[in-house]
Amino acid sequence: MEKKDKGYNRRDFINNGIRLALGATVAGTAAFTLSRSATGKDYVWQIDPFKCTQCGRCATECVRSESAVKCVHAFDLCGYCDVCSGYLKPGAKLETGAENQLCPTAAIQRKYIEEPYFEYIIDEELCIGCGKCVKGCSAFGNGSLHLQIRHDLCLNCNQCSIAASCPSDAISRVPADEPYLIKGDFTKGEEKG
Amino acid sequence: MKKRGLVIVVLVILGVILGVIVVDFLNNRPDRRGRNPYALEVDQYRKVDPSLVRYRETRNFDLGLLIAADMTLYNNHLYVAGNSLLVKISLDGTPMDMIEILPGATSVEVDDQQVIIGFRNRMASYDHRGTLLHQWAVPGDSTWITNLALKADKIFVADAGNRRIIIYNRDGEQTGEFEGKSESESGHGFIVPSPNFDLAVNSFGELWVVNPGKHALENYTEDGRLRGFWDKAGFDIEGFLGCCNPARIAVMKDGSFITSEKGMVRIKIYDPSGKLISVVAPPELFEGGSGKAPEVCVDDQGVVYALDFDRDRVRVFEPIDN
């Protein structure tokens, strides 16, 4: 009977293959970690205000009971709500009485700059990130009110639950050293670039 | 036997977990979610009383590769500026002629004498064969020219960036400028929150300027004194809605105004005193667009030509009485 060559059999091949795969995984992970620490790049979730459709899910889908998404006002872009009605209820008088305001929690306060220009300040304790004011501002005004994920509140989950349900893919990871996509600022950046 | 029972229990639990995951996945798909509890409802304002709509869209025509910036009507022809071209089109949509212009046009006006093109912060004049006659810079850090109007030897230029009307002669020399301000309460000056700032000279030679922040049309003398105005703000069909409306205007030969609104796009006609006469195009005709106000022109028969920037087409609206 012919004697089988036991120098390198199938079992050895599989074992070596597993060792190789494990080695490659460890090396890859180490290289990835080293490259991240070398470039200093870390990533956080953020909303692209130009893709956002103000669907209301930022208010309901965040894992935090108080959503990490808040409205912000790009002051240098527009502050003409007094002539626009963008943050007031449709059909309401152009007056800022609480009964006329669109915000369901009265989170929008304003500061007089010059007639008829105001800076709109969002009370983040009250804002629930529903985007109702953003919808009005985008539909009828210049879109200076927009939603952003606040990183002092965001837990930076591996998979953002709002991003998973966002119908317009408006939420993605951005470099942590540029964590906000404020309309006035990064629009100007694009113009310069 | 005991082991078999345990297996069945584990399988049932796994089945329930899998079922919950599948149901949750299907129900949470972005296209299968329930109604947004925070939705801003404005659909009621999109509906227009059909008796007010006294125009119908009869045809439209393509502008080919041209990315249009502005349009004007002169001598029964449309002139559309875009890219580095000015295209002359007959009222039935047939391209008639084309001249090469400097790139970046924002506005165009044509009269017997010249073709005047406005750019963001400069101006140029051409003869009707396309020869460049003059070009000049418009001073100012934030100059943003949005529209032009012509009267005799005067060129009225609307500069949205600096909220002013500048007056030039045909050689490009500045002869005047005004901001719409006066001592009276109504003379606040132009409020221009965005680059939507239009003006027109009607068949009686009157200069009308839109004050978009006040939802007003204001009549000025040629040296910038306010003679009269009317304004209409509101969500309903009689008013102008949101910021910067009416974004564009045209004048009919009887002095009535064709107005074009951004945001909730609608085209309407007002008499010279500001009374709504009829609706040319209700918002439903512009559903799904960007909300940019179409440029509007009107011929002597009252036919309205709307340059739809989303479709890059000229849409023609004729009075139903015709």
Side-chain angles (χ1 to χ4, degrees), chain B:
Chain B
M1 195 66 185
K2 233 180 185 180
K3 205 173 179 184
R4 197 175 167 194
L6 193 66
V7 168
I8 290 170
V9 169
V10 168
L11 282 176
V12 168
I13 291 170
L14 282 175
V16 169
I17 292 170
L18 193 67
V20 168
I21 291 171
V22 169
V23 169
D24 183 61
F25 173 75
L26 291 177
N27 284 341
N28 279 331
R29 277 174 50 179
D31 57 341
R32 292 199 182 169
R33 302 301 291 274
R35 194 180 149 272
N36 174 12
Y38 307 107
L40 173 61
E41 303 291 351
V42 290
D43 283 352
Q44 57 175 309
Y45 299 101
R46 294 186 191 282
K47 292 174 192 152
V48 175
D49 177 359
S51 68
L52 280 172
V53 185
R54 294 186 204 136
Y55 275 70
R56 67 165 168 247
E57 187 172 5
T58 53
R59 60 189 190 278
N60 59 66
F61 39 89
D62 192 9
L63 295 168
L65 293 173
L66 193 72
I67 298 168
D70 194 23
M71 175 176 77
T72 191
L73 193 152
Y74 163 71
N75 200 17
N76 288 321
H77 287 89
L78 295 167
Y79 291 77
V80 185
N83 300 355
S84 301
L85 294 171
L86 177 72
V87 183
K88 180 180 176 182
I89 304 168
S90 69
L91 296 184
D92 64 3
T94 311
M96 305 296 287
D97 200 2
M98 190 182 289
I99 65 171
E100 208 168 305
I101 57 173
L102 297 166
T106 59
S107 46
V108 57
E109 273 303 319
V110 180
D111 68 2
D112 292 340
Q113 302 177 51
Q114 291 174 335
V115 173
I116 308 291
I117 307 285
F119 303 88
R120 186 159 168 173
N121 56 6
R122 58 204 164 92
M123 299 283 302
S125 61
Y126 296 82
D127 68 16
H128 280 259
R129 285 175 300 179
T131 309
L132 180 63
L133 302 174
H134 300 282
Q135 60 169 317
W136 64 96
V138 178
D141 288 339
S142 50
T143 301
W144 192 317
I145 295 168
T146 50
N147 278 292
L148 313 171
L150 305 177
K151 182 185 175 186
D153 66 333
K154 289 188 169 63
I155 304 168
F156 297 96
V157 179
D159 172 8
N162 295 301
R163 305 177 233 176
R164 60 179 175 174
I165 303 297
I166 315 170
I167 307 162
Y168 290 99
N169 66 20
R170 298 298 176 125
D171 296 324
E173 292 157 353
Q174 186 172 336
T175 58
E177 175 181 326
F178 61 92
E179 297 178 346
K181 289 178 178 166
S182 72
E183 297 299 315
S184 72
E185 237 179 66
S186 54
H188 179 281
F190 301 123
I191 299 167
V192 190
S194 70
N196 294 283
F197 186 32
D198 203 356
L199 76 176
V201 173
N202 67 14
S203 55
F204 310 111
E206 297 169 339
L207 173 65
W208 285 85
V209 182
V210 177
N211 195 341
K214 301 195 87 175
H215 304 103
L217 273 87
E218 299 177 341
N219 176 212
Y220 286 90
T221 60
E222 287 174 28
D223 55 355
R225 280 181 291 117
L226 182 66
R227 293 175 61 193
F229 72 94
W230 58 267
D231 58 359
K232 299 263 175 183
F235 267 73
D236 53 12
I237 194 69
E238 280 85 15
F240 298 122
L241 166 63
C243 126
C244 328
N245 277 318
R248 292 173 182 266
I249 57 165
V251 281
M252 303 181 85
K253 64 180 179 183
D254 67 352
S256 298
F257 298 97
I258 312 284
T259 62
S260 170
E261 287 174 68
K262 69 184 264 282
M264 189 183 291
V265 178
R266 47 195 190 185
I267 301 173
K268 300 178 283 187
I269 299 178
Y270 290 85
D271 78 5
S273 66
K275 185 185 169 203
L276 178 69
I277 302 293
S278 68
V279 174
V280 175
E284 64 185 21
L285 295 183
F286 299 94
E287 288 289 334
S290 64
K292 194 171 178 184
E295 167 63 9
V296 282
C297 298
V298 58
D299 68 16
D300 288 346
Q301 282 69 50
V303 177
V304 176
Y305 301 84
L307 174 54
D308 186 328
F309 294 103
D310 291 322
R311 295 168 176 82
D312 243 350
R313 299 182 84 86
V314 175
R315 301 171 68 176
V316 183
F317 297 88
E318 293 187 37
I320 288 172
D321 300 342
N322 283 2

